């Protein structure tokens, strides 16, 4: 029998599997395809719906027949919550998952670290790799119960429906929290969601230094941002034994092979990205905590720019657990979200580092980037304009024309937000969008502005703006005739966008 650690996996024999979690816990399961989403309510197995194709819940035992799962299913995620909704997981013993195969043969056992604020844990997943099935230990935690899990996996949950083990939910995005307070166990932390700041629009016959700004409440996207999940499968070696740290040998070949299969061009290693990755992995290993920021608030993106690397767009994997580059790449290919970042065709350079902590756990940072160039910036801005005009055309509105003065003002604001570490329509000195437009030489009397941070492509940022009523109103305002786009990489959120409108 294998004793699993977070991130560890074991091959499974053919036949029926039984997964059991003894104690005061409710067990349920989510059946998904490679995209990580269920197809319907029948893919959610819990005490009120105990049976579906290939899966059966009997009390605290979950019986899985991989061959009997519905067509297209490639993963079964095992979820637990407290059997008594009034008793938090933190007050219960640490759960232990027992996995047996045909003939009741014990295959593996997994005990994650004791939950703290989490109300639900993803314990493990059974997944198909090629023609074989494996089991991977997880331990990812959620603070908003099964409702949060269901939303992330694509199950529709009504706000007034009481899910088993769920905490009160006030709407908005799911509230996953870090589950590695002592540097052990996986982190299901939701990355900082890309933000689309409330738009501002003002008619200024006589520019004034002060005035009210209309702002819409930003709506974070549920489910996280592509490539921004920070999983933390972390194996521990024997006490006192420090694992050897694998180098990047073979990493690039594995990555580029996966990218080629996805139709993406190869990436090359960059020394500056590697230095930034090493610095960030070292901080995580020293603290025993996964995260995009260090204890002093320095983000992984700020480490990249401090290393002298200017980028147009960036992605990252922050992981603990894999022991080799091959294991690391396999992890990155294990879900649609993490695979999308590794195979993103817009990235052409990378950096990788792995640092061991005192107990032998390995912390990995992989950075993927597209370097800055004036030409690439201009092309990106043009794509934002084209996507914006496509939305206007769909609404029967005339297109906006690119305006050099508005472009200069928008770019200056994005640069300023990175340089002075703020995120607002109002600059630290009090300047408003119309002030910045006038300073850049614009004579347009009606000015509007959308800003956003964290999005990694023109399509993503325009979609985010269109999904927010206030930003959408600026994009579809009939009076606007001209537009300027700004984009800067760096800061705490990685990318800062400005869309400045004029008439």
């Amino acid at each position: 029998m294998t004793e699993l650690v977070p991130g560890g996996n074991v091959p499974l024999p053919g036949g029926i599997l039984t997964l059991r979690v003894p104690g005061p816990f409710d067990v349920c399961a989510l059946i998904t395809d490679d995209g990580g989403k269920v197809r319907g309510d029948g893919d959610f197995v819990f005490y009120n719906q105990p049976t579906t194709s290939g899966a059966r819940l009997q009390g605290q035992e979950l019986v899985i027949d991989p061959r009997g799962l519905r067509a297209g299913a490639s993963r079964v995620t095992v979820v637990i919550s407290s059997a008594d909704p009034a008793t938090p997981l933190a007050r219960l013993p640490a759960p232990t998952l027992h996995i047996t195969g045909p003939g009741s043969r014990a295959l593996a056992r997994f005990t994650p670290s004791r939950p703290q604020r989490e109300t639900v844990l993803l314990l493990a997943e059974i997944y198909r790799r090629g023609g074989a099935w494996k089991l991977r230990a997880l331990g990812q935690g959620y603070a908003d119960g099964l409702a949060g899990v269901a939303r992330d996996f694509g199950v529709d949950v009504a706000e007034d429906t009481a899910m088993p083990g769920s905490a009160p939910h006030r709407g908005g995005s799911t509230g996953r929290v870090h589950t590695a307070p002592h540097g052990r166990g996986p982190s299901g932390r939701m990355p900082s969601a890309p933000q689309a700041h409330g738009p501002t629009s003002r008619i200024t016959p006589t520019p004034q230094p002060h005035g009210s700004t209309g702002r819409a409440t930003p709506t974070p996207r549920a489910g996280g941002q592509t490539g921004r999940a920070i999983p933390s499968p972390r194996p521990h070696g024997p006490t006192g034994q420090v694992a050897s740290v694998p180098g990047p040998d073979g990493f690039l070949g594995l990555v580029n092979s996966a990218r080629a299969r996805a139709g993406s061009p190869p990436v090359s290693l960059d020394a500056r990205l590697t230095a930034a990755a090493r610095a960030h992995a070292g901080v995580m290993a020293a603290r025993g905590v996964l995260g995009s920021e260090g204890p002093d608030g320095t983000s992984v993106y700020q480490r990249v720019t401090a290393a002298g690397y200017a980028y147009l767009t960036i992605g990252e994997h922050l992981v603990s657990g894999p022991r080799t580059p091959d294991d690391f790449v396999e992890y990155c290919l294990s879900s649609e979200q993490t695979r999308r970042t590794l195979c993103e065709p817009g990235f052409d350079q990378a950096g990788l580092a792995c640092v061991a902590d005192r107990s032998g756990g390995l912390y990995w940072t992989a950075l993927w980037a597209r370097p800055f160039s004036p030409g690439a910036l201009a092309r990106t801005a043009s794509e934002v304009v084209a996507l914006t005009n496509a939305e206007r055309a769909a609404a029967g509105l005339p297109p906006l024309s690119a305006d050099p003065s508005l472009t200069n003002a928008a770019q200056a604001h994005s640069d300023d937000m990175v340089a002075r570490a703020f995120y607002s329509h109002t600059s630290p000195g009090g300047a408003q969008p119309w002030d910045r437009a006038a300073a850049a030489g614009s004579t347009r009397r009606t000015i509007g502005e959308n800003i956003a941070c964290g999005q990694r492509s023109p399509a993503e940022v325009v979609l985010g703006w269109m999904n927010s009523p206030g930003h959408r109103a600026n994009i579809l305002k009939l009076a606007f005739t001209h537009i300027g786009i700004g984009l800067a990489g760096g800061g705490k959120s990685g990318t800062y966008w400005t869309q400045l409108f004029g008439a």
Side-chain angles (χ1 to χ4, degrees):
M1 183 180 68
T2 301
E3 289 284 351
L4 288 171
V5 293
N9 63 72
V10 293
L12 296 171
I16 294 176
L17 307 166
T18 301
L19 294 85
R20 181 170 58 91
V21 185
F25 305 104
D26 277 332
V27 180
C28 62
L30 291 142
I31 300 167
T32 61
D33 51 25
D34 287 337
K37 300 294 184 182
V38 300
R39 289 187 178 177
D41 292 343
D43 286 347
F44 191 17
V45 181
F46 65 112
Y47 63 79
N48 276 341
Q49 185 172 273
T51 304
T52 192
S53 299
R56 183 175 70 258
L57 183 61
Q58 299 174 319
Q60 294 173 314
E61 288 189 351
L62 183 65
V63 180
I64 303 293
D65 181 3
R67 296 168 300 182
L69 296 172
R70 54 101 171 149
S74 59
R75 186 172 307 171
V76 179
T77 303
V78 182
V79 184
I80 66 156
S81 58
S82 172
D84 177 9
T87 303
L89 288 175
R91 296 182 185 175
L92 300 178
T96 297
L97 175 66
H98 301 263
I99 305 100
T100 57
S104 299
R105 181 168 68 92
L107 301 176
R109 183 169 59 192
F110 170 55
T111 303
S113 56
R114 183 189 299 273
Q116 295 200 355
R117 292 182 295 159
E118 300 81 2
T119 57
V120 164
L121 286 181
L122 309 188
L123 272 188
E125 62 181 6
I126 297 169
Y127 64 100
R128 184 170 56 206
R129 176 65 64 187
W133 289 84
K134 291 185 175 183
L135 182 137
R136 177 185 291 112
L138 297 176
Q140 176 176 307
Y142 282 71
D144 59 349
L146 288 175
V149 177
R151 287 184 181 87
D152 270 10
F153 280 76
V155 179
D156 290 331
V157 180
E159 290 298 331
D160 56 357
T161 299
M163 299 293 291
S166 65
H169 186 74
R170 294 179 174 84
S173 61
T174 55
R176 286 189 266 175
V177 300
H178 220 289
T179 62
H182 304 295
R184 180 168 183 254
S187 161
R189 192 190 78 166
M190 174 174 283
S192 300
Q195 300 177 46
H197 201 289
T200 178
S201 179
R202 181 179 179 183
I203 299 175
T204 56
T206 304
Q208 301 175 14
H210 301 288
S212 60
T213 302
R215 293 182 181 174
T217 303
T219 304
R221 294 190 306 134
Q225 186 178 358
T226 302
R228 293 288 302 279
I230 308 178
S232 59
R234 179 183 170 189
H236 288 264
T239 303
Q241 177 180 339
V242 177
S244 59
V245 177
D249 297 341
F251 165 76
L252 199 61
L254 295 167
V255 167
N256 284 333
S257 177
R259 288 176 64 85
R261 292 193 297 272
S264 298
V267 294
S268 60
L269 289 175
D270 181 89
R272 296 161 297 177
L273 287 174
T274 298
R278 186 178 300 112
H280 194 73
V283 169
M284 293 193 299
R287 300 176 67 206
V289 175
L290 285 168
S292 60
E293 293 184 9
D296 62 351
T298 301
S299 74
V300 64
Y301 317 111
Q302 289 169 316
R303 298 186 199 284
V304 171
T305 54
Y309 188 94
Y311 62 84
L312 193 65
T313 187
I314 195 166
E316 74 283 340
H317 288 102
L318 309 177
V319 182
S320 65
R323 312 303 292 178
T324 67
D326 185 78
D327 289 342
F328 175 80
V329 172
E330 181 181 352
Y331 167 75
C332 293
L333 294 172
S334 67
S335 73
E336 180 63 26
Q337 186 178 38
T338 54
R339 184 189 304 116
R340 189 178 300 126
T341 295
L342 185 140
C343 297
E344 166 58 48
F347 297 141
D348 54 19
Q349 293 184 331
L352 173 75
C354 178
V355 176
D357 67 7
R358 288 175 296 179
S359 64
L362 300 182
Y363 284 81
W364 299 74
T365 297
L367 297 170
W368 319 90
R370 181 183 179 189
F372 172 86
S373 71
L377 176 62
R379 288 190 294 273
T380 301
S382 294
E383 188 173 348
V384 175
V385 173
L387 290 169
T388 300
N389 281 333
E391 297 291 350
R392 288 177 64 88
L397 299 173
L400 303 173
S401 299
D403 181 279
S405 297
L406 294 179
T407 297
N408 290 339
Q411 186 60 49
H413 189 52
S414 288
D415 291 338
D416 194 28
M417 287 191 289
V418 170
R420 293 201 278 179
F422 73 98
Y423 179 65
S424 174
H425 293 293
T426 305
S427 67
Q432 301 287 347
W434 37 90
D435 301 319
R436 293 188 290 270
S442 174
T443 58
R444 305 198 179 276
R445 298 172 66 84
T446 303
I447 296 294
E449 182 179 82
N450 288 342
I451 60 175
C453 65
Q455 293 83 357
R456 303 188 178 186
S457 69
E460 187 177 352
V461 74
V462 172
L463 177 63
W465 281 326
M466 288 298 295
N467 285 336
S468 169
H471 304 89
R472 180 186 179 94
N474 267 351
I475 288 174
L476 301 182
K477 187 169 183 176
L478 177 61
F480 288 142
T481 56
H482 290 77
I483 189 173
I485 303 297
L487 168 61
K492 290 188 179 295
S493 295
T495 50
Y496 290 78
W497 304 77
T498 301
Q499 192 177 43
L500 197 58
F501 304 90

